[in-house]
């Protein structure tokens, strides 16, 4: 492919005021001077870096809030904002008075509840003893009645029944014997063997035996039919009644004991509540002092207080878990920045980074890439086309002067190139889809197609197209003519054909010719 070389004959002389020359090029025509600079092509070592601007962030920030329930925490004293505090330093002191007064009240409540509990415990013991005694008495009564019934069925009652039956049998036997004796005497009297008087005595004995038999029979029937069943029924009824009374007494004593136990539990519950309130209040008293968990600078948080969003101050009552102070941990800082999409392939985690902060230009810091964002973000603006990725750099050193939010400048070391050709970025131009440099040689400027390599924020390496010590222009020739016309007021002519572009400067010319 042909390349076009522009040969610039720029040896224009302007009266006695000066001459057009190179290194640097200057035109003078009784007007303001304009300078066109050139630089040599260098060969040597080149450090490829990416420079980005970001802000300092603390890797860890600790927020402090009241742990006292509700909004009972009233600020009595607070460390001034911006102060540097050591670990365990007091940051906020809440008003202790309400909690100390509450502790006195709850201590009195605890003592009263302990006395009530002791009385309830004694009441329960007394009720248990009385109930046990009453139940035992009732059980003994049942036992006695059971023995009484058993005595009727198997003891004295049974014996008495047998005695009456025996008496009846004996009376019946005596009656039979009297009747037999009377018949025998009556036969003997007819034979004359006994007297009438003996027969009359025998009749009296018979009548007496009949009466005795009738009486013992009647007594036996009455005892068996009426007395014995009545005694048995009475004993059984008394036993049933005693058993029923025992059951009712057991139920009653059970409920009495339950009631006494409930009284004891209630007293115990009140004591537990009083102790819990006392313990909670003591814990709240301990929480009236907020201490710094880490060393750092005190930053107040903005809160909505009485409908107004502002920072806390003495006298404010704050809610539980409402952050009031933030302490950034400046012992571990990071730089939050971003990298262009075209440079993302040059960055990797662990990569070395040099960091400086605007606030302290002489402070040299070092770090490593910790995290590269996974999602691209567009540049802000209506016509934004560039995309960026978030980049987080961990700083190795710690310095108490560092503050979150400070502007930081990070240089990422991409490569260290050995013995390469390089030129400033300003010396390379894009022309007809190819990168070119304008090379000055023997007072002529020629356009040279170049192949680029790696670059940093100042220089780009040249893989082909240039040689060491050649001088390249930092301004395009066309731009040079514009500057000349603007500064001298001279109108140059431009003639063009398919192969030649002619620029006339006074009586001299700049020509562009084809070369293979």
């Amino acid at each position: 492919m042909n390349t076009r070389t522009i040969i610039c004959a720029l040896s224009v002389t302007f009266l006695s005021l000066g001459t057009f020359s190179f290194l640097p090029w200057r035109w003078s025509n009784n007007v303001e001077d304009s300078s066109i600079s050139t630089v040599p092509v260098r060969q040597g070592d080149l450090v490829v870096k990416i420079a980005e601007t970001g802000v300092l962030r603390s890797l860890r920030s600790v927020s402090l809030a009241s742990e006292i329930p509700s909004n009972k925490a009233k600020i009595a004293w607070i460390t001034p904002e911006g102060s540097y505090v050591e670990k365990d330093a007091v940051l906020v002191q809440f008003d202790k008075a309400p909690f100390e007064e509450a502790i006195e009240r709850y201590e009195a409540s605890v003592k009263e509840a302990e006395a009530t509990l002791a009385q309830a415990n004694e009441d329960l013991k007394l009720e248990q003893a009385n109930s046990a005694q009453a139940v035992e008495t009732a059980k003994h009564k049942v036992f006695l009645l059971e023995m009484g019934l058993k005595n009727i069925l198997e003891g004295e009652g049974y014996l008495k029944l047998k005695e009456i039956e025996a008496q009846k049998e004996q009376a019946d036997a005596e009656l039979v014997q009297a009747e037999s004796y009377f018949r025998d005497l009556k036969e003997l009297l007819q034979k004359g063997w006994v007297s009438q008087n003996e027969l009359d005595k025998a009749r009296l004995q018979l009548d007496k035996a009949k009466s005795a038999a009738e009486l013992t029979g009647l007594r036996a029937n009455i005892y068996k039919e009426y007395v014995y069943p009545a005694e048995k029924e009475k004993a059984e009824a008394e036993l049933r009644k005693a058993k029923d009374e025992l059951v009712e007494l057991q139920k009653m004593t059970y409920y009495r004991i339950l009631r006494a136990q409930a009284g004891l539990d209630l007293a115990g519950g009140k004591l537990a509540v009083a102790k819990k309130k006392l313990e909670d209040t003591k814990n709240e008293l301990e929480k009236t002092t907020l201490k710094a968990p880490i060393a750092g600078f005190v930053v107040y948080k903005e809160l909505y207080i009485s409908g107004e969003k502002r920072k806390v101050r003495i006298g404010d009552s704050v809610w539980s878990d409402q952050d009031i102070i933030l302490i950034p941990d400046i012992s571990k800082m990071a730089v939050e920045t971003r990298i262009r999409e075209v440079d993302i392939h040059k960055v990797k985690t662990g990569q070395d980074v040099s960091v400086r902060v605007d606030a302290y230009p002489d402070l040299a810091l070092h770090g490593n890439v910790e995290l590269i964002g996974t999602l691209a973000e567009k540049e802000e603006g209506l016509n934004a086309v560039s995309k960026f990725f978030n980049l987080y750099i961990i700083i190795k050193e710690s310095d108490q002067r560092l503050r979150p939010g400070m502007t930081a400048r990070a240089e990422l070391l991409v490569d260290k190139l050995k013995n390469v050709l390089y030129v400033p970025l300003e010396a390379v131009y894009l022309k007809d889809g190819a990168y070119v440099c304008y090379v000055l040689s023997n007072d002529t400027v020629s356009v040279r197609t170049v192949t680029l390599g790696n670059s940093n924020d100042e220089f780009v390496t040249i893989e082909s197209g240039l040689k060491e010590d050649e001088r390249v222009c930092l301004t395009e020739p066309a731009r040079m003519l514009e500057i000349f016309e603007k500064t001298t007021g001279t109108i140059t002519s431009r003639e063009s054909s398919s192969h030649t572009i002619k620029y006339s400067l006074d009586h001299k010319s700049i020509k562009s010719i084809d070369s293979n």
Side-chain angles (χ1 to χ4, degrees):
M1 181 177 181
N2 294 334
T3 60
R4 179 169 295 172
T5 304
I6 301 175
I7 302 176
C8 302
L10 300 175
S11 56
V12 182
T13 303
F14 297 98
L15 301 177
S16 61
L17 298 178
T19 60
F20 180 88
S21 61
F22 297 97
L23 299 174
W25 300 344
R26 293 183 181 273
W27 296 318
S28 298
N29 192 21
N30 293 327
V31 294
E32 180 182 1
D33 287 344
S34 295
S35 298
I36 306 300
S37 300
T38 64
V39 293
V41 178
R42 297 297 188 190
Q43 184 164 3
D45 297 340
L46 180 66
V47 177
V48 180
K49 296 181 179 180
I50 299 174
E52 298 292 347
T53 301
V55 293
L56 290 182
R57 303 290 187 201
S58 60
L59 284 181
R60 181 173 67 119
S61 294
V62 179
S63 295
L64 287 94
S66 167
E67 297 180 10
I68 300 173
S70 186
N71 64 336
K72 296 186 292 183
K74 184 178 181 180
I75 299 175
W77 179 85
I78 186 169
T79 300
E81 187 175 21
S83 302
Y84 180 82
V85 295
E86 297 290 346
K87 182 181 178 182
D88 295 328
V90 176
L91 298 177
V92 180
Q93 182 63 64
F94 297 115
D95 188 5
K96 295 183 177 182
F99 303 100
E100 292 172 342
E101 293 173 359
I103 288 175
E104 292 181 2
R105 292 197 306 271
Y106 291 137
E107 285 177 343
S109 298
V110 167
K111 290 181 180 179
E112 182 179 353
E114 288 175 341
T116 302
L117 178 64
Q119 183 60 49
N121 190 42
E122 292 299 322
D123 292 343
L124 175 61
K125 290 180 179 179
L126 180 61
E127 186 62 45
Q128 289 173 333
N130 291 338
S131 296
Q133 184 177 0
V135 169
E136 188 62 30
T137 300
K139 286 182 177 180
H140 185 65
K141 181 178 179 181
V142 169
F143 173 76
L144 292 178
L145 292 174
E146 286 176 341
M147 292 297 101
L149 177 59
K150 190 173 183 180
N151 186 47
I152 291 173
L153 296 177
E154 301 175 6
E156 292 180 353
Y158 178 76
L159 179 61
K160 188 174 183 180
L161 178 61
K162 291 302 179 181
E163 287 178 348
I164 291 175
E165 289 177 350
Q167 290 175 357
K168 181 178 181 301
E169 290 176 357
Q170 183 178 358
D172 290 341
E174 289 178 352
L175 176 59
V176 170
Q177 184 179 3
E179 288 176 344
S180 177
Y181 182 69
F182 179 74
R183 285 195 300 271
D184 291 341
L185 285 179
K186 191 174 181 180
E187 290 178 358
L188 291 175
L189 179 62
Q190 291 176 357
K191 292 179 179 182
W193 290 353
V194 292
S195 65
Q196 185 63 40
N197 187 33
E198 288 178 334
L199 182 61
D200 291 338
K201 287 182 180 178
R203 183 179 286 111
L204 289 174
Q205 290 295 329
L206 177 60
D207 292 340
K208 186 177 179 181
K210 285 181 179 180
S211 298
E214 290 177 359
L215 182 60
T216 54
L218 181 60
R219 184 181 293 118
N221 288 336
I222 291 173
Y223 186 79
K224 290 177 62 176
E225 297 296 331
Y226 301 104
V227 176
Y228 182 77
E231 290 179 349
K232 177 185 174 184
E233 181 63 27
K234 180 180 179 182
E236 290 175 343
E238 289 179 348
L239 179 59
R240 285 195 299 271
K241 181 180 178 182
K243 287 183 176 181
D244 291 341
E245 289 176 348
L246 175 61
V247 172
E248 291 299 321
L249 179 62
Q250 287 175 329
K251 290 180 180 180
M252 183 174 61
T253 55
Y254 173 75
Y255 288 117
R256 284 179 178 174
I257 292 174
L258 278 184
R259 184 170 57 190
Q261 184 65 55
L264 179 63
D265 294 341
L266 179 61
K270 289 182 178 180
L271 177 59
V273 169
K275 285 184 175 181
K276 184 66 167 58
K277 288 182 178 180
L278 178 60
E279 181 182 359
D280 290 345
T281 307
K282 287 181 177 180
N283 290 335
E284 290 171 0
L285 179 61
E286 292 179 358
K287 294 174 182 177
T288 55
T289 301
L290 285 185
K291 295 184 178 181
I294 60 173
F297 291 90
V298 175
V299 179
Y300 289 179
K301 301 274 283 187
E302 288 189 342
L303 309 174
Y304 282 100
I305 301 176
S306 300
E308 177 187 3
K309 188 175 183 180
R310 59 174 174 81
K311 296 181 178 181
V312 294
R313 54 177 176 245
I314 294 176
D316 287 339
S317 294
V318 295
W319 289 87
S320 174
D321 298 325
Q322 188 177 36
D323 293 341
I324 57 178
I325 284 181
L326 178 72
I327 302 181
D329 184 3
I330 62 173
S331 64
K332 274 293 183 180
M333 301 291 285
V335 177
E336 180 182 340
T337 184
R338 56 185 189 170
I339 192 80
R340 293 179 301 171
E341 183 179 17
V342 295
D343 292 328
I344 192 69
H345 68 282
K346 302 176 183 177
V347 182
K348 61 182 179 181
T349 56
Q351 192 166 343
D352 291 336
V353 184
S354 298
V355 179
R356 289 187 181 274
V357 291
D358 287 358
Y360 303 102
D362 297 333
L363 179 60
L365 302 170
H366 306 84
N368 300 100
V369 175
E370 177 71 15
L371 178 66
I372 303 171
T374 56
L375 298 177
E377 298 179 0
K378 287 186 177 181
E379 175 69 286
E380 296 181 357
L382 295 177
N383 300 319
V385 293
S386 298
K387 293 183 178 180
F388 296 84
F389 288 83
N390 289 329
L391 191 68
Y392 296 91
I393 301 163
I394 303 299
I395 298 176
K396 297 178 181 179
E397 299 88 357
S398 62
D399 193 299
Q400 290 190 3
R401 294 175 293 176
L402 299 179
R403 303 285 190 277
M406 282 184 170
T407 300
R409 305 187 186 277
E411 288 187 349
L412 289 82
L413 178 61
V414 176
D415 201 357
K416 292 182 179 179
L417 305 177
K418 299 292 185 180
N419 197 29
V420 293
L421 290 176
Y422 60 89
V423 296
L425 293 173
E426 295 89 338
V428 179
Y429 302 92
L430 185 63
K431 184 176 180 64
D432 298 331
Y435 289 106
V436 299
C437 289
Y438 296 99
V439 182
L440 173 63
S441 178
N442 298 324
D443 294 338
T444 63
V445 177
S446 62
V447 62
R448 193 88 56 83
T449 302
V450 295
T451 303
L452 305 181
N454 288 331
S455 64
N456 57 21
D457 57 334
E458 295 181 5
F459 301 98
V460 60
T461 61
I462 304 297
E463 296 183 355
S464 65
L466 295 176
K467 297 179 180 179
E468 185 180 5
D469 294 330
E470 288 186 310
R471 302 195 72 85
V472 291
C473 300
L474 298 180
T475 305
E476 290 182 280
R479 178 61 178 157
M480 292 161 56
L481 289 176
E482 292 177 5
I483 295 173
F484 177 77
E485 291 175 351
K486 182 178 179 181
T487 57
T488 65
T490 302
I491 304 300
T492 62
S493 64
R494 298 169 175 81
E495 298 177 4
S496 65
S497 67
S498 61
H499 298 290
T500 302
I501 299 176
K502 181 180 180 181
Y503 296 92
S504 295
L505 291 175
D506 201 354
H507 62 282
K508 300 294 182 180
S509 65
I510 302 176
K511 296 181 180 180
S512 174
I513 62 175
D514 289 339
S515 82
N516 292 326

